[in-house]
Amino acid sequence: MSCVFCNIDKSKLENTIIDESDSFVVLPTIGALVDGYLMIISKRHINSMAELEEKERAEYEFLIEKYRNKFKNIYNKFPIVFEHGSPINNSDMKASSVIHAHTHIVNHQFLDESIIIKKLKLNRIDNLNCLSKKQNYIMYINPENVCYVSYNFEPVSQMMRKIIAKDLGYEDKFDWKKEKFIENINSTVRKFKKEVVK
């Protein structure tokens, strides 16, 4: 089976390259639940960002901070950042619907973040070096740049998207395979392309 992120179809709107570095591309995503939804995708085919080498991790963390600031410039607030990390073993239970490392950056702030932290059993971490290659995880960075991780959750595909969609009031539209949100993708591309020109 071919990987959609290893073979990105650049002719599609949702695959518009917003930014590119040695190890990553930044692009919008199909199923953009809000205006302001990007992904950082590893160019190397790995299961999660836990597999990054030291140089790649520094580049990854730089991109997260760069885009946190771009979201603040564009939307006047910091975004949330999350990743569903999948283990390197052949477990059938994966937390991600596409098994290729990608991180979501979303123009959203939870109505009550404490509910999310409790529901997902998120624990605060000091840095991203502690992410495990051997088990499913959810990594979450809140708008205040506090990092969390959980290894103790049911590995359901699109878990964070479901939670965000519920928080937005349209829980039934979380699935990127069914709900495209083309207008949000268009707006995101327009705003970030304009920001890149500055």
Side-chain angles (χ1 to χ4, degrees):
M1 186 170 76
S2 65
C3 171
V4 295
F5 291 155
C6 287
N7 302 290
I8 293 173
D9 180 352
K10 294 178 184 173
S11 69
K12 293 184 175 179
L13 175 68
E14 65 268 19
N15 294 331
T16 302
I17 303 291
I18 301 295
D19 200 350
E20 187 169 4
S21 66
D22 290 342
S23 305
F24 303 93
V25 292
V26 178
L27 43 89
T29 179
I30 199 76
L33 294 166
V34 293
D35 172 7
Y37 198 129
L38 296 176
M39 289 194 301
I40 299 173
I41 300 171
S42 170
K43 288 183 179 178
R44 191 162 61 93
H45 186 88
I46 53 178
N47 286 7
S48 75
M49 297 302 184
E51 295 180 55
L52 295 175
E53 295 168 1
E54 190 175 332
K55 182 175 181 254
E56 292 170 318
R57 185 178 316 286
E59 195 179 318
Y60 173 61
E61 291 176 359
F62 171 81
L63 283 171
I64 289 174
E65 190 56 26
K66 177 180 178 179
Y67 278 87
R68 275 178 40 78
N69 290 321
K70 285 187 177 293
F71 271 74
K72 175 70 171 167
N73 288 342
I74 293 169
Y75 301 104
N76 204 28
K77 60 182 178 179
F78 289 108
I80 61 170
V81 177
F82 68 89
E83 179 201 6
H84 296 106
S86 295
I88 57 174
N89 63 26
N90 292 323
S91 166
D92 290 335
M93 293 299 291
K94 304 285 187 180
S96 182
S97 59
V98 177
I99 310 301
H100 180 130
H102 61 286
T103 297
H104 304 247
I105 309 173
V106 187
N107 177 28
H108 184 67
Q109 296 183 342
F110 289 112
L111 298 173
D112 187 345
E113 184 183 70
S114 66
I115 293 171
I116 310 309
I117 290 169
K118 185 176 179 182
K119 177 183 172 104
L120 297 176
K121 301 180 180 93
L122 289 162
N123 294 300
R124 190 169 175 165
I125 56 174
D126 293 328
N127 58 60
L128 301 179
N129 293 335
C130 68
L131 299 177
S132 173
K133 303 178 208 181
K134 297 181 179 177
Q135 55 189 321
N136 286 298
Y137 65 81
I138 291 179
M139 179 275 291
Y140 168 65
I141 303 173
N142 75 7
E144 288 75 38
N145 206 24
V146 179
C147 299
Y148 296 87
V149 71
S150 176
Y151 300 104
N152 188 16
F153 63 96
E154 185 182 354
V156 175
S157 177
Q158 301 190 63
M159 167 103 48
M160 286 294 282
R161 288 181 54 83
K162 288 178 185 178
I163 293 169
I164 294 167
K166 182 175 182 180
D167 209 48
L168 291 166
Y170 40 87
E171 188 173 6
D172 59 330
K173 297 189 177 197
F174 75 90
D175 190 348
W176 62 267
K177 296 171 193 167
K178 297 176 184 172
E179 303 290 341
K180 308 304 183 199
F181 293 102
I182 298 299
E183 66 284 354
N184 288 340
I185 300 169
N186 267 318
S187 182
T188 299
V189 168
R190 222 174 24 254
K191 288 174 181 172
F192 280 91
K193 282 295 193 180
K194 183 178 177 184
E195 179 72 11
V196 168
V197 173
K198 283 184 181 178

